[in-house]
Amino acid sequence: MLSFIVNVLRSVPFIILMIVIIPLTRVIVGTSIGVPGSIPPLVIGAAPFFARLVETSLREVDRGVIEAAQSMGATYGQIIWRVLLREARPGLIAAITITAVTLVSYTAMSGVIGGGGLGDLAIRYGYQRFQTNVMIVTVVILLVLVQILQMLGDRLVRSYQRK
């Protein structure tokens, strides 16, 4: 059932998700616009995405390592903390990196509802006022931010990889 919910939430484009959950956002934070109004859609949009990436990372852990820990008498907690999470660490760091990059694009899209940040700047000044230079600068800043996040994430993954 949880997998079905994750798949449904992942399949809805973020811009549509923000609009569809406006009633829920109003209940949770009291408004559907501005920075507070953009937080629930960001969480609801990113959580299933991240959950699926974590699931994939944990599934990639060699079953033999888990069985070895079980044969040595490890408890479920020990298997999770000392085997699964340690073995899946590079994949989990990659998942965090991918989610962070995705959140950059989601927050830029939240500018549509006045969510602030670069997306809001690009829409208000670049698009609505036809200031192409503002739009170009915003896109360049977003590209640089994504590149920095990706490089840091890749460097962390390499430092924790055992292969």
Side-chain angles (χ1 to χ4, degrees):
M1 183 67 164
L2 187 59
S3 180
F4 176 77
I5 293 169
V6 167
N7 286 337
V8 167
L9 289 174
R10 284 182 49 224
S11 65
V12 177
F14 182 71
I15 195 83
I16 294 170
L17 179 70
M18 282 192 305
I19 294 164
V20 167
I21 66 166
I22 283 176
L24 178 64
T25 302
R26 283 189 184 136
V27 168
I28 294 172
V29 294
T31 184
S32 62
I33 58 173
V35 175
S38 66
I39 293 172
L42 286 170
V43 171
I44 292 170
F49 180 78
F50 182 66
R52 187 62 73 196
L53 293 173
V54 168
E55 177 190 19
T56 302
S57 295
L58 292 175
R59 280 187 179 178
E60 289 178 358
V61 173
D62 184 17
R63 183 78 182 136
V65 176
I66 297 168
E67 289 173 0
Q70 287 173 333
S71 68
M72 289 188 258
T75 65
Y76 286 120
Q78 290 171 328
I79 291 171
I80 291 169
W81 287 102
R82 295 184 179 176
V83 177
L84 276 174
L85 291 177
R86 286 189 182 168
E87 291 293 318
R89 190 180 304 162
L92 294 173
I93 293 169
I96 291 167
T97 302
I98 293 167
T99 304
V101 168
T102 302
L103 276 171
V104 168
S105 70
Y106 284 2
T107 56
M109 283 186 265
S110 72
V112 170
I113 61 169
L118 292 171
D120 191 32
L121 177 75
I123 288 172
R124 283 189 194 188
Y125 296 99
Y127 180 72
Q128 292 175 348
R129 294 186 184 177
F130 302 105
Q131 294 178 342
T132 309
N133 57 343
V134 173
M135 188 68 78
I136 291 170
V137 168
T138 305
V139 169
V140 168
I141 291 171
L142 286 169
L143 286 171
V144 169
L145 181 60
V146 166
Q147 289 300 318
I148 290 170
L149 285 171
Q150 191 65 54
M151 287 186 329
L152 288 173
D154 289 346
R155 187 171 290 158
L156 278 172
V157 167
R158 277 193 307 273
S159 71
Y160 283 105
Q161 233 168 8
R162 294 182 183 193
K163 297 175 184 174

